[in-house]
Amino acid sequence: SSAITRIEFVESSFHHIFKNPFVFIFGNGVGSFGILALNEDIRAYPHNIILEVLFEFGVVGLLIFSTWIIFSMQFVRSKSRYVAMWVLLYLFMNLLKSSSLIDIRLGFFVFALYVLGNNTVDD
């Protein structure tokens, strides 16, 4: 039943994302998934960060989020050892598949600490 519920969330997300051009570009608003998809004011999310960002912030938000992720991963790749990069990539990809934007704050905090800890100036 969990897999069926997730599939229904994905279908509902796509229905609401593509219902009109304004929503597609700018999204439905922060925390709107539960209200629009389930008709209840509850904390719900489609269990996919990319889909949630597209649902709540539209293409504009998805472009900003994607740009931030790409630049962050490039920075980590340039400053990290090979194994550390793959561990961080694995942790990041795991956060993307089953958490909401609210739930991944701690993961992004740890990621930011790692980046800041490796931000040394080479003399």
Side-chain angles (χ1 to χ4, degrees), residues 6 44 56 90 113:
R6 287 180 185 228
E56 294 184 355
Y90 169 77
L113 285 178

Side-chain angles (χ1 to χ4, degrees), residues 97-114:
K97 72 173 179 58
S98 62
S99 301
S100 72
L101 284 171
I102 301 300
D103 296 336
I104 65 173
R105 288 180 298 180
L106 181 61
F108 282 142
F109 176 73
V110 170
F111 184 75
L113 285 178
Y114 179 81

Side-chain angles (χ1 to χ4, degrees), residues 26-108:
F26 297 108
N28 291 296
V30 178
S32 61
F33 184 81
I35 296 169
L36 295 174
L38 304 174
N39 296 320
E40 295 182 50
D41 191 8
I42 60 172
R43 185 174 162 247
Y45 51 93
H47 294 277
N48 181 312
I49 293 299
I50 305 300
L51 193 56
E52 183 176 1
V53 169
L54 188 58
F55 185 93
E56 294 184 355
F57 302 109
V59 172
V60 173
L62 185 60
L63 288 173
I64 293 169
F65 182 76
S66 299
T67 302
W68 176 71
I69 296 300
I70 288 168
F71 282 123
S72 296
M73 292 308 292
Q74 285 177 342
F75 177 82
V76 168
R77 194 177 104 206
S78 70
K79 299 284 186 182
S80 298
R81 295 190 173 120
Y82 187 74
V83 174
M85 181 191 71
W86 287 108
V87 169
L88 283 175
L89 183 63
Y90 169 77
L91 292 172
F92 177 71
M93 296 300 283
N94 194 36
L95 287 173
L96 288 179
K97 72 173 179 58
S98 62
S99 301
S100 72
L101 284 171
I102 301 300
D103 296 336
I104 65 173
R105 288 180 298 180
L106 181 61
F108 282 142

